[in-house]
Amino acid sequence: MATAALRFDGVTKEFYAGREAGRVRALDAFSAEIGVGTIVGLLGPNGCGKSTALKCALGLLSPDHGQVRVHGLPAGSVKACHTVGYLPERGGVPSHLTAREALQWWAWVNGTDQQAVATSLEAVGLTAAADRRVASFSKGMRQRLALAQAWLPRPSILLLDEPFSGVDPRGVDRLVEMIMAEKQAGKTILLTSHLLPRVEQICDEVILVDRGRVIVAGTVATVLGGEPVRSRGLDDVFRERLEGNKS
Amino acid sequence: MIRGGPQIWAHAKFSWLSLQRSPGLWVVGFVAAMSAGSGLFWRDFSFGEAEGRFVLGFGWGLQNLLGMGLALAAAVQIWARDQEDKTLPVWRARGLSLWALATGRLLAAGLFCAIFAVGSTLVLAWAQTGKPGALAFAQLFASAGWLTLKLTLVATMTFGVTRISRNTGFVIGATTGLILLGHLRPWAGELGGVPMVISWLAPDLSSLSPAMGQQQPNLDAGVVRALAAAGYGVVFLGLATREQSNE
């Protein structure tokens, strides 16, 4: 049996949220498997545990119970870290450097060929702005640069936390093209987003999460219940399932 | 992924660029060095010998005081920029070493402190002797070297305090408290008991005051002082590697 690119096994993670709220359970026996070469959308309302799941997969957070494995390796181990690229929800690129310097520095620490910098800048359409400070970039430009930074070391898995957040429609189109190009290159991509029509467009599978638990998971067609995409979209399923989960 | 020394060097260069591109810090540094060296101006007035000594003593004291403020500001600048840009989770996701990060940051802050220490010592020695470049290399090394060590230790204390809180105001306040404590150690030592134990939280900064440009260093005492300072430096650096990341 082929090893999954990412595997969450009964992951539970709690946080202390102050004296009144006490401990809050962000992930509750969360289990999922992400196959090699697939694009999977991790969906759910705000605060449902999507970002926590990504951070557990990156080794930035340690689960209280359960485990996350990356290509069969424990998440956060040095070998596992070298196979992943991460786009955080906000920031992630140094504002005091130019786009070119930021990628050159990142290529340096990751031991990546410096020639990949020019290629990456071109791929994300930032060649003309390469020598401008990141501080002067728009939100969309920063997102594209952060994505270029995430894939510069050529990781086999990309974890993208809200890649379309705050990006205008043209910028989203561009990001979608970039993500699809990475899929063509055989990358495994796990992304979170509230832009459901886009998720429907690019993802092979979706995992719907609420209060830290998986409510439904499967291919987009399965989750949509086999109905034509035009008459019933992921956003409809999303509302129905969440309503059902409340009752 | 590069490791060890090269990774430290990469972080040092990154942090140095952060400082280099903070014009406000350099302007304040220049003004601070000139304030300390204002004796150059006062020398032209017909003061008596006692007043002249007071002005110079005031200058050396000001160099110490402003230097510590600058060291704190430089360390906060490096740390806060990384916090604001949220770069740390991206680095950690790729398995970058927090020891390399902390040491690299320290090298950059240390270089900034050394530039201020050497520059202001040369200006003060000029004010004292009336001749630019009056200090022999050994004297410059003794005077500016001790000040560099002291200021770098202040920067390390700042990085160490970031372990406790991500609030910039708290980091500045707590480090200032440690600086005060470090200067009160001789008195606390005389009092004994609880005040003495509390004072051990900070290194004895009063023993690291510069040698006023002209005194010959006591090498035996110097080695002990330098080792004690280095010991505290390692502890604070160790705390910095457990920095609260902006996850």
Side-chain angles (χ1 to χ4, degrees):
Chain A
M1 194 180 81
T3 312
L6 272 172
R7 190 184 174 92
F8 297 84
D9 275 327
V11 175
T12 298
K13 180 70 188 174
E14 291 185 348
F15 294 105
Y16 180 68
R19 200 173 290 174
E20 284 185 16
R23 291 189 75 79
V24 172
R25 187 164 284 197
L27 287 178
D28 189 0
F30 180 88
S31 294
E33 192 171 304
I34 317 297
V36 174
T38 56
I39 303 187
V40 178
L42 196 56
L43 315 176
N46 292 327
C48 72
K50 304 185 296 288
S51 297
T52 305
L54 290 192
K55 284 168 187 164
C56 286
L58 291 161
L60 297 176
L61 294 174
S62 304
D64 298 328
H65 299 289
Q67 61 173 353
V68 187
R69 298 193 83 84
V70 180
H71 289 304
L73 302 162
S77 63
V78 174
K79 279 187 179 175
C81 285
H82 291 176
T83 66
V84 297
Y86 174 46
L87 172 78
E89 187 178 352
R90 282 182 294 274
V93 282
S95 61
H96 64 286
L97 302 182
T98 65
R100 192 190 308 279
E101 286 170 340
L103 292 188
Q104 281 173 340
W105 184 81
W106 192 236
W108 179 22
V109 294
N110 281 286
T112 312
D113 186 0
Q114 288 288 336
Q115 286 181 339
V117 171
T119 318
S120 298
L121 284 167
E122 198 180 335
V124 296
L126 287 175
T127 306
D131 296 312
R132 268 174 57 192
R133 294 262 179 98
V134 175
S136 70
F137 277 16
S138 67
K139 166 83 180 167
M141 290 166 85
R142 282 184 193 225
Q143 284 291 86
R144 280 189 274 149
L145 181 61
L147 201 50
Q149 181 181 261
W151 78 43
L152 186 70
R154 296 284 155 216
S156 58
I157 302 173
L158 281 167
L159 300 176
L160 314 177
D161 198 357
E162 305 282 0
F164 311 125
S165 168
V167 183
D168 64 58
R170 279 184 62 192
V172 171
D173 286 342
R174 188 142 207 166
L175 287 173
V176 166
E177 281 173 25
M178 290 163 62
I179 292 169
M180 293 307 283
E182 288 302 297
K183 178 185 160 58
Q184 295 299 320
K187 298 274 163 65
T188 304
I189 300 171
L190 177 62
L191 62 89
T192 70
S193 179
H194 293 291
L195 219 55
L196 300 184
R198 291 301 195 172
V199 171
E200 204 174 305
Q201 179 190 350
I202 61 175
C203 288
D204 302 310
E205 294 174 25
V206 289
I207 301 169
L208 184 54
V209 186
D210 190 27
R211 285 176 278 185
R213 282 181 169 273
V214 175
I215 297 176
V216 63
T219 62
V220 174
T222 312
V223 172
L224 288 173
E227 293 188 28
V229 174
R230 281 181 192 170
S231 65
R232 191 166 180 265
L234 265 180
D235 43 358
D236 300 311
V237 176
F238 185 85
R239 286 191 201 96
E240 285 167 18
R241 293 286 188 156
L242 289 181
E243 283 301 318
N245 197 42
K246 272 182 194 168
S247 54
Chain B
M1 174 71 68
I2 56 173
R3 295 248 147 240
Q7 196 180 122
I8 293 172
W9 184 242
H11 281 300
K13 190 177 174 191
F14 181 90
S15 298
W16 176 248
L17 281 171
S18 177
L19 286 179
Q20 199 185 321
R21 292 176 183 178
S22 307
L25 205 59
W26 292 95
V27 170
V28 173
F30 179 75
V31 171
M34 287 303 112
S35 304
S38 60
L40 276 174
F41 171 76
W42 297 111
R43 277 180 63 250
D44 294 337
F45 290 84
S46 300
F47 286 125
E49 198 183 328
E51 289 87 345
R53 274 204 306 275
F54 170 78
V55 168
L56 282 167
F58 184 74
W60 289 108
L62 206 59
Q63 179 201 35
N64 239 295
L65 188 68
L66 297 176
M68 286 187 290
L70 272 171
L72 196 160
V76 166
Q77 167 70 31
I78 292 171
W79 167 78
R81 176 105 74 181
D82 290 348
Q83 287 286 310
E84 194 181 328
D85 291 340
K86 299 183 185 298
T87 43
L88 202 53
V90 178
W91 297 346
R92 284 186 56 206
R94 288 287 299 170
L96 263 68
S97 153
L98 284 175
W99 267 105
L101 170 67
T103 313
R105 282 175 172 176
L106 184 62
L107 285 177
L111 178 60
F112 181 81
C113 294
I115 290 172
F116 172 78
V118 170
S120 58
T121 299
L122 286 172
V123 171
L124 276 162
W126 181 4
Q128 189 160 332
T129 61
K131 288 183 290 182
L135 283 184
F137 179 77
Q139 290 170 314
L140 176 66
F141 183 79
S143 183
W146 280 117
L147 183 61
T148 302
L149 181 62
K150 181 175 183 174
L151 301 187
T152 307
L153 194 53
V154 169
T156 320
M157 283 156 57
T158 312
F159 290 134
V161 168
T162 62
R163 168 69 184 90
I164 305 166
S165 172
R166 274 186 270 164
N167 182 301
T168 309
F170 178 88
V171 171
I172 293 171
T175 309
T176 306
L178 282 175
I179 291 171
L180 286 173
L181 204 60
H183 282 91
L184 293 174
R185 264 187 66 159
W187 287 281
E190 284 173 19
L191 287 173
V194 176
M196 185 179 75
V197 173
I198 291 174
S199 75
W200 287 344
L201 283 172
D204 186 359
L205 291 174
S206 64
S207 74
L208 296 174
S209 293
M212 299 300 184
Q214 296 300 310
Q215 294 171 12
Q216 292 298 317
N218 176 342
L219 285 179
D220 290 339
V223 170
V224 174
R225 279 187 288 163
L227 284 175
Y232 271 95
V234 171
V235 171
F236 282 111
L237 199 63
L239 283 174
T241 64
R242 295 282 175 268
E243 176 186 324
Q244 307 258 315
S245 71
N246 43 6
E247 285 159 14

